[in-house]
């Protein structure tokens, strides 16, 4: 048993804290409880918290933590004296300070793929909404026959491709870490570069993580090569966009649209582009009962697997 401190003579149960500023669907919470309690552990729930201090006090006696986009930094890890594992129920783990977690001997995992379909469905939903002029009654256009460029062909990108193909779209993708053959196997044209993808697609959908390499990488120079009337859709991370550059470009090019599921820091400025800009008020991509349940239960099982058997599959820190 991890750390060896819970012997059969010790009655204290391991505590798993679910800390979600944006709560899971109720069905997901029940599913997580079933897995955790079934393993003989206790569940604590901190939802819709508004102050970091609430998280700091809730983690004090937690052995494991399930989060979504909740920030886990050195301060949180310092406060979590018993913590052994954090599972980000979702794909992107840029909200967790991996170095600090490693320094605190805390294992960090994500649950890749579990919410991918939900995000992909939202992409197509937002695109229909956009090409139909936000349902304002004016004649719009269709997605069939248009070229969709998918930037990064991971779990979400693949699901976007599958659904877009159902719409009759031409789909192309570029992924610096995925060989062209793997993209072509999915019936998707592999672009030779990110630059080619931006030049050739009518719509570019972003599915890159926020890393040192990708932050601010979607900039004015790149977007200025987009086709007339192009749409940039972002259900990934706001940090990948050079917001000032995109605003400057959208001022110059009245044909470009920016649609996002992650409200930009410069939301107020983007709002000047009426009819060409839309942001969900809160990130909605993974906000379905199915995605919450898949990701939440996967997180719970990964915690049990680690605490009972030391299984470190899906660990993202070293
Ligand atoms: C992810 O990285 O899994 C998605 O961005 C979903 O994030 P959320 O759990 O905060 O909705």
């Amino acid at each position: 048993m991890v750390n060896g401190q819970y012997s059969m003579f010790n009655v204290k149960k391991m505590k798993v804290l679910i800390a979600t500023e944006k709560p899971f669907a109720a069905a997901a919470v029940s599913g997580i409880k079933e897995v955790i309690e079934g393993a003989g552990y206790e569940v604590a729930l901190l939802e819709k918290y508004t102050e970091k201090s609430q998280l700091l006090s809730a983690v004090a006696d937690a052995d494991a933590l399930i989060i979504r986009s909740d920030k886990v930094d050195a301060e949180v890890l310092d406060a979590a004296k018993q913590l052994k594992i954090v599972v980000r129920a979702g794909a992107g783990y840029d909200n967790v300070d991996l170095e600090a977690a490693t320094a605190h001997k805390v294992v960090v995992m994500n649950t890749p793929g579990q919410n991918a379909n939900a995000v992909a469905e939202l992409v197509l939903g937002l695109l229909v909404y956009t090409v139909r002029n936000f349902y304002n009654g004016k004649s719009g256009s269709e997605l069939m026959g248009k070229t969709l460029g998918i930037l990064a062909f991971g779990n979400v990108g693949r699901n976007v491709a599958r659904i877009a193909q159902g719409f009759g779209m031409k789909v192309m993708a570029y992924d610096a870490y995925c060989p062209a053959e793997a993209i072509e196997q999915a019936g998707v044209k592999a672009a030779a570069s990110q630059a080619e993808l931006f030049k050739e697609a009518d719509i570019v959908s972003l599915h890159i993580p926020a890393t040192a390499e990708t932050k601010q990488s979607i900039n004015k120079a790149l977007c200025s090569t987009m086709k007339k009337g192009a749409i940039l859709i972002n259900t990934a991370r706001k940090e990948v966009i050079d917001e000032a550059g995109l605003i400057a470009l959208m001022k110059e090019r009245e044909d470009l649209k920016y649609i996002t599921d992650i409200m930009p820091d410069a939301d107020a400025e983007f709002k000047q582009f009426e009819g060409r800009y839309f942001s969900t008020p809160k990130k909605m991509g993974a906000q379905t009962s199915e995605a919450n349940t898949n990701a939440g239960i996967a997180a719970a099982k990964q915690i049990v697997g680690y605490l009972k058997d030391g299984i470190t599959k899906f660990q993202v820190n070293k």
Side-chain angles (χ1 to χ4, degrees):
M1 186 165 288
V2 175
N3 288 353
Q5 78 237 55
Y6 289 85
S7 75
M8 60 190 289
F9 303 110
N10 192 331
V11 289
K12 187 186 175 298
K13 282 185 177 179
M14 291 258 201
K15 187 185 268 188
V16 179
L17 174 67
I18 306 170
T20 48
E21 180 270 318
K22 183 175 64 185
F24 287 125
V29 176
S30 315
I32 294 170
K33 280 190 176 157
E34 209 171 292
V35 173
I36 299 296
E37 289 168 0
Y41 306 149
E42 197 183 318
V43 174
L45 191 58
L46 175 69
E47 290 183 325
K48 291 189 192 167
Y49 59 94
T50 50
E51 304 295 330
K52 189 178 187 182
S53 58
Q54 295 171 272
L55 178 60
L56 295 178
S57 62
V59 292
D61 62 348
D63 296 280
L65 180 58
I66 297 177
I67 51 160
R68 296 184 64 180
S69 289
D70 307 79
K71 283 207 164 35
V72 173
D73 58 14
E75 195 185 358
V76 174
L77 291 158
D78 281 343
K81 300 278 182 250
Q82 307 290 328
L83 197 64
K84 296 151 191 69
I85 175 166
V86 178
V87 183
R88 192 282 191 242
Y93 44 86
D94 47 308
N95 49 321
V96 181
D97 183 335
L98 297 186
E99 268 180 38
T102 303
H104 284 77
K105 298 194 169 34
V106 171
V107 165
V108 182
M109 296 184 190
N110 66 347
T111 63
Q114 299 292 345
N115 58 20
N117 181 66
V119 179
E121 286 190 11
L122 186 78
V123 170
L124 274 295
L126 285 171
L127 286 177
V128 172
Y129 182 56
T130 304
V131 297
R132 297 302 181 98
N133 298 318
F134 309 123
Y135 307 148
N136 69 358
K138 288 191 187 151
S139 188
S141 58
E142 299 179 22
L143 294 173
M144 187 161 75
K146 305 293 185 307
T147 299
L148 176 66
I150 299 175
L151 185 59
F153 207 59
N155 291 304
V156 181
R158 284 168 185 274
N159 275 281
V160 170
R162 172 181 56 80
I163 302 170
Q165 284 163 338
F167 272 76
M169 298 186 81
K170 294 174 193 151
V171 186
M172 62 191 297
Y174 176 74
D175 189 320
Y177 300 95
C178 177
E181 303 77 61
I183 293 174
E184 304 272 354
Q185 263 166 25
V188 171
K189 183 182 166 196
S193 63
Q194 175 173 282
E196 184 184 288
L197 189 86
F198 272 72
K199 256 188 223 146
E200 288 194 8
D202 298 299
I203 299 165
V204 174
S205 188
L206 305 177
H207 302 290
I208 44 177
T211 63
E213 190 189 345
T214 64
K215 279 181 189 169
Q216 308 263 327
S217 65
I218 309 303
N219 56 27
K220 188 177 179 207
L222 181 65
C223 295
S224 65
T225 65
M226 292 178 86
K227 277 184 172 173
K228 190 167 169 24
I231 301 170
L232 177 67
I233 178 161
N234 181 11
T235 54
R237 289 292 181 269
K238 68 177 177 188
E239 290 82 0
V240 302
I241 302 283
D242 166 10
E243 293 185 7
L246 184 56
I247 289 168
L249 180 66
M250 287 176 76
K251 278 184 189 162
E252 286 169 21
R253 286 207 27 198
E254 293 190 0
D255 59 303
L256 290 183
K257 293 190 173 82
Y258 180 50
I259 307 299
T260 181
D261 185 34
I262 319 95
M263 189 178 283
D265 293 332
D267 174 60
E269 269 194 82
F270 274 106
K271 281 198 168 117
Q272 70 185 287
F273 305 117
E274 218 195 316
R276 298 197 285 135
Y277 167 71
F278 174 80
S279 171
T280 52
K282 207 165 187 106
K283 188 158 53 128
M284 292 298 296
Q287 200 60 331
T288 67
S289 181
E290 293 89 339
N292 292 169
T293 304
N294 293 343
I297 291 180
K301 287 184 176 166
Q302 287 171 215
I303 285 172
V304 173
Y306 177 65
L307 294 178
K308 287 204 186 290
D309 301 315
I311 298 169
T312 53
K313 191 176 175 193
F314 302 122
Q315 180 172 357
V316 293
N317 66 331
K318 294 281 169 278

